[in-house]
Amino acid sequence: MSRQVHSIRINEDGPREGFQIESASIPTADKIELIDALTEAGLQEIQIASFVNPKKVPSMSDAEAVVAGVKMRPGVKYTALYMNPRGLERAIATGRLSIEGIGFSVCASEAFLARNENATPAMRKRRKREMIDIAGKFGVAPANSGNVSAAFGCNFQGDIGLDALMGVIESVHEFAAEYGCKIERIGLSDTMAWATPDKIRRSLDAIYNTYSGIEVSLHLHDTRGMAMANAFAGIDMGVREFDTSIGGLGGCPFAAHKGAAGNLCTEDFAFMCEEMGHQTGLDLDRLIEAARLAERIVGHPLPGKLKDGGSLSSLRKAIQAR
Amino acid sequence: MSRQVHSIRINEDGPREGFQIESASIPTADKIELIDALTEAGLQEIQIASFVNPKKVPSMSDAEAVVAGVKMRPGVKYTALYMNPRGLERAIATGRLSIEGIGFSVCASEAFLARNENATPAMRKRRKREMIDIAGKFGVAPANSGNVSAAFGCNFQGDIGLDALMGVIESVHEFAAEYGCKIERIGLSDTMAWATPDKIRRSLDAIYNTYSGIEVSLHLHDTRGMAMANAFAGIDMGVREFDTSIGGLGGCPFAAHKGAAGNLCTEDFAFMCEEMGHQTGLDLDRLIEAARLAERIVGHPLPGKLKDGGSLSSLRKAIQAR
């Protein structure tokens, strides 16, 4: 049985996805401290804020102040989430964020779209076009990438079968083609945690077989305890890029779960990668410290395990030093 | 990509492994209520007590009362843990437990053995012989099975490499051969959570290639967040039997972890199996109820996700009923 070693790219979503869901009002300085700690741990891409309606998501009303306060390391991408032209304009106006080309994102569930964004698929596409137009005025071209949210299922619509998923991915390609873009990379978001390793495997198999040379990234939630097994299945099938959250921060405020667990946990996932010989470029000890900081900031236990269980590298050192 | 469907056997360890580690003194009646709930959920094998020194493990001093109080369903195996002849005698004396043939268990780490059982490998083997002799007097023969604890690594000794593991498994076979037994089934216990899916895969590959027809069972801890991914790798390689704990109860009191997470979580694992089409024979809704009961009994949050996140079968029903 051969052991192939890969580089795995880990994009940190904790500051955005995590703080967005916390009910407590977290001081801006704490958010900045965590983001700086994540930079120190070696992360190359960190989503640090969400430019959404502050009336709907008050925890993100300090987005501009967070972006202004972060110690930015050259070469690291600091990104933000924006779901409409107004959010995009705010993000661009900071002058400090990596404004990537607007990707072609589609939601696999109409029911979730209605609930989460109060939109029909046609409305969402129209908004996306507006964003692409506005971005164009700022010199930002559309991207050769796409994303599918609720890719494996939806709490309000049910299972998204493989044929449905492939149909949605094809529609992403068609949407991109309207702008002369060719999808080179597609993200699959398991927004409401309907994926199992088996579904991940079959979906990736179909995607790689249908779209030669395409790269897939995964965004996984741990609401039903499957995130790490799904991530392993992803690595096994050739996925080299994952969104994660420090300490397992996160969840989805619109997904109707009281006890929604967070995203795939950054340090636990990095541990798995490194222990299996895959390179993440991350400093595991610093990640663990950042996870403990995140826990102190939110004021309640976070689901990540490694921050309590400890890494093996530290145990190996202690055993060798005896 | 073919989808093979299997029967997965889930052995519940929560009442023993879980309550053993809880510092609070849990009322005997609560333990019995949980065990009865686990029976109702369809489990076919439940480890319900540990006959250990009550001075060392006070939480298990009511083992006899627990065994006496459980509503036993015919056909279900109710087992107990015993690590020495005295414990075995106590278990047999209850007259209500499934006393299986004494298996040939070996610890892969001498350092852990010293710490956990205050024994050398030779001492442990001598104790095991005593137990086999005593069991023989009660008409209980040695079993055609073995177990390796600390199979993948040890917090006090470090990594257990594949060659070392295979050496230990060979010694289990030799030990059994002394009694004219042939090992048909071997359990691998990741006692201190050093396994990764990669190690699981390579170990199983080597074991199946070396010992034709052998069955392997896995006992996994989630201390570093790997339990579900390891379990998936196990299923994928052909493992059909797993030890789990309801709600993710458990941990190892001797493993020097303050924040030790528990065992592979019964209901989360059963969910993964069922969603992937493998049959467990378990009632997921009742398992979730039992997990919530376990949480109320121990008085603090347990790590299992499904009890908070909810199963997909219930969401599917709700969506269809609209």
Side-chain angles (χ1 to χ4, degrees):
Chain A
M1 199 160 278
S2 71
R3 296 187 73 190
Q4 287 190 301
V5 171
H6 305 284
S7 277
I8 305 285
R9 183 178 175 89
I10 297 181
N11 301 329
E12 173 64 38
D13 274 355
R16 194 273 305 172
E17 183 133 15
F19 291 148
Q20 183 169 309
I21 203 175
E22 295 293 333
S23 54
S25 62
I26 292 165
T28 305
D30 285 358
K31 295 181 184 177
I32 292 168
E33 186 185 357
L34 179 65
I35 294 162
D36 290 346
L38 293 166
T39 299
E40 292 295 320
L43 286 151
Q44 292 298 300
E45 184 166 334
I46 312 176
Q47 193 162 72
I48 63 174
S50 181
F51 289 95
V52 286
N53 188 337
K55 282 177 196 159
K56 285 191 187 162
V57 188
S59 59
M60 282 288 145
S61 59
D62 62 352
E64 276 85 356
V66 169
V67 174
V70 167
K71 283 192 200 81
M72 292 191 174
R73 177 180 286 184
V76 175
K77 280 188 187 174
Y78 300 88
T79 68
L81 183 74
Y82 24 83
M83 293 163 86
N84 54 38
R86 174 74 192 119
L88 172 61
E89 284 182 284
R90 286 173 62 199
I92 291 172
T94 66
R96 302 197 79 201
L97 289 167
S98 175
I99 306 289
E100 307 199 272
I102 306 298
F104 297 90
S105 60
V106 171
C107 181
S109 163
E110 291 190 19
F112 184 67
L113 198 55
R115 200 175 170 110
N116 200 21
E117 299 186 24
N118 196 24
T120 63
M123 284 164 66
R124 191 181 211 259
K125 206 165 180 179
R126 197 166 61 236
R127 283 185 201 159
K128 203 80 197 175
R129 288 188 206 284
E130 288 171 19
M131 282 181 69
I132 292 172
D133 290 346
I134 287 181
K137 288 174 192 163
F138 287 94
V140 178
N144 292 323
S145 67
N147 189 78
V148 180
S149 54
F152 304 98
C154 167
N155 291 0
F156 311 104
Q157 186 161 319
D159 291 281
I160 306 293
L162 184 54
D163 288 348
L165 174 60
M166 294 305 289
V168 173
I169 292 173
E170 186 55 29
S171 77
V172 171
H173 281 77
E174 288 164 5
F175 192 8
E178 292 178 32
Y179 289 86
C181 294
K182 185 183 180 304
I183 296 293
E184 294 169 352
R185 180 169 152 272
I186 191 134
L188 303 180
S189 296
D190 186 23
T191 315
M192 282 159 286
W194 282 61
T196 54
D198 192 43
K199 280 190 207 170
I200 296 280
R201 187 180 273 179
R202 280 179 293 128
S203 302
L204 291 168
D205 192 52
I207 293 168
Y208 290 134
N209 279 329
T210 308
Y211 304 101
S212 169
I214 200 167
E215 283 182 31
V216 181
S217 66
L218 289 174
H219 179 103
L220 301 165
H221 284 245
D222 200 35
T223 315
R224 298 180 177 87
M226 297 297 114
M228 195 64 69
N230 289 340
F232 169 67
I235 290 179
D236 218 36
M237 287 297 294
V239 176
R240 302 290 168 254
E241 185 167 347
F242 293 82
D243 295 342
T244 66
S245 283
I246 194 76
L249 271 168
C252 177
F254 301 99
H257 286 304
K258 275 185 207 167
N263 290 42
L264 176 63
C265 171
T266 305
E267 67 275 16
D268 292 7
F269 178 63
F271 167 81
M272 181 172 79
C273 292
E274 294 287 337
E275 284 290 323
M276 299 202 308
H278 305 312
Q279 291 159 358
T280 63
L282 300 176
D283 181 326
L284 202 53
D285 291 333
R286 289 195 172 186
L287 279 183
I288 289 173
E289 282 308 312
R292 291 174 183 156
L293 172 63
E295 203 162 52
R296 287 196 298 277
I297 290 173
V298 299
H300 60 77
L302 289 174
K305 302 291 182 193
L306 206 66
K307 63 185 163 48
D308 302 313
S311 73
L312 294 181
S313 46
S314 56
L315 283 169
R316 287 188 188 108
K317 270 183 221 160
I319 291 164
Q320 281 189 329
R322 258 179 227 155
Chain B
M1 197 159 278
S2 71
R3 296 188 72 191
Q4 287 190 300
V5 170
H6 306 283
S7 278
I8 305 285
R9 184 179 174 88
I10 296 182
N11 301 328
E12 173 64 39
D13 273 356
R16 194 274 303 170
E17 183 133 17
F19 290 147
Q20 184 169 311
I21 203 176
E22 294 293 331
S23 54
S25 62
I26 292 165
T28 305
D30 285 357
K31 294 181 184 178
I32 293 168
E33 186 186 356
L34 179 65
I35 294 162
D36 290 347
L38 293 166
T39 298
E40 291 295 320
L43 286 151
Q44 292 299 300
E45 183 166 334
I46 312 175
Q47 193 163 72
I48 63 174
S50 181
F51 290 95
V52 287
N53 188 336
K55 283 178 195 156
K56 285 191 186 163
V57 189
S59 60
M60 282 289 145
S61 59
D62 62 352
E64 276 85 356
V66 169
V67 174
V70 168
K71 283 192 200 78
M72 292 191 174
R73 176 180 285 184
V76 175
K77 281 188 186 174
Y78 299 88
T79 67
L81 183 74
Y82 24 82
M83 292 163 86
N84 55 37
R86 174 74 192 117
L88 171 61
E89 284 183 286
R90 286 173 62 199
I92 291 172
T94 66
R96 302 197 80 201
L97 289 166
S98 174
I99 306 289
E100 307 199 271
I102 306 299
F104 298 91
S105 60
V106 171
C107 182
S109 163
E110 291 190 18
F112 184 68
L113 199 55
R115 199 174 170 109
N116 199 22
E117 300 187 24
N118 195 24
T120 63
M123 284 164 67
R124 192 182 211 259
K125 206 164 180 180
R126 197 165 63 236
R127 283 184 202 161
K128 203 80 196 173
R129 288 188 205 284
E130 287 172 19
M131 282 181 68
I132 292 171
D133 289 347
I134 287 179
K137 288 175 191 161
F138 287 94
V140 178
N144 291 323
S145 67
N147 190 78
V148 180
S149 54
F152 304 98
C154 167
N155 290 0
F156 312 105
Q157 186 160 319
D159 290 281
I160 306 294
L162 184 54
D163 288 348
L165 174 61
M166 293 307 288
V168 172
I169 293 173
E170 186 55 30
S171 77
V172 171
H173 281 77
E174 288 164 4
F175 192 9
E178 292 177 31
Y179 289 86
C181 294
K182 184 181 180 305
I183 297 293
E184 293 169 352
R185 181 170 152 270
I186 192 134
L188 303 180
S189 295
D190 186 24
T191 315
M192 282 159 286
W194 282 61
T196 55
D198 193 43
K199 279 190 206 170
I200 296 280
R201 186 180 274 178
R202 280 178 293 128
S203 303
L204 291 169
D205 193 52
I207 292 168
Y208 290 134
N209 280 328
T210 308
Y211 304 101
S212 169
I214 199 167
E215 282 181 32
V216 182
S217 66
L218 289 174
H219 179 103
L220 302 165
H221 284 244
D222 200 34
T223 316
R224 297 180 177 85
M226 298 297 113
M228 196 63 69
N230 289 340
F232 169 67
I235 289 180
D236 218 35
M237 288 296 294
V239 176
R240 301 289 168 254
E241 185 168 346
F242 293 82
D243 295 342
T244 65
S245 283
I246 193 77
L249 271 167
C252 177
F254 302 100
H257 287 304
K258 273 185 208 167
N263 290 42
L264 176 63
C265 171
T266 305
E267 67 276 17
D268 292 6
F269 178 63
F271 167 80
M272 181 172 79
C273 292
E274 294 287 338
E275 284 290 323
M276 299 202 307
H278 306 312
Q279 292 160 356
T280 64
L282 300 176
D283 181 325
L284 202 53
D285 290 333
R286 289 195 171 186
L287 279 183
I288 289 173
E289 282 308 311
R292 290 174 184 156
L293 173 63
E295 203 163 53
R296 287 197 299 275
I297 290 173
V298 300
H300 60 76
L302 289 174
K305 302 292 181 192
L306 207 67
K307 63 183 163 50
D308 301 314
S311 73
L312 294 182
S313 45
S314 56
L315 283 169
R316 287 189 189 106
K317 270 181 221 161
I319 291 165
Q320 281 190 327
R322 259 179 227 155

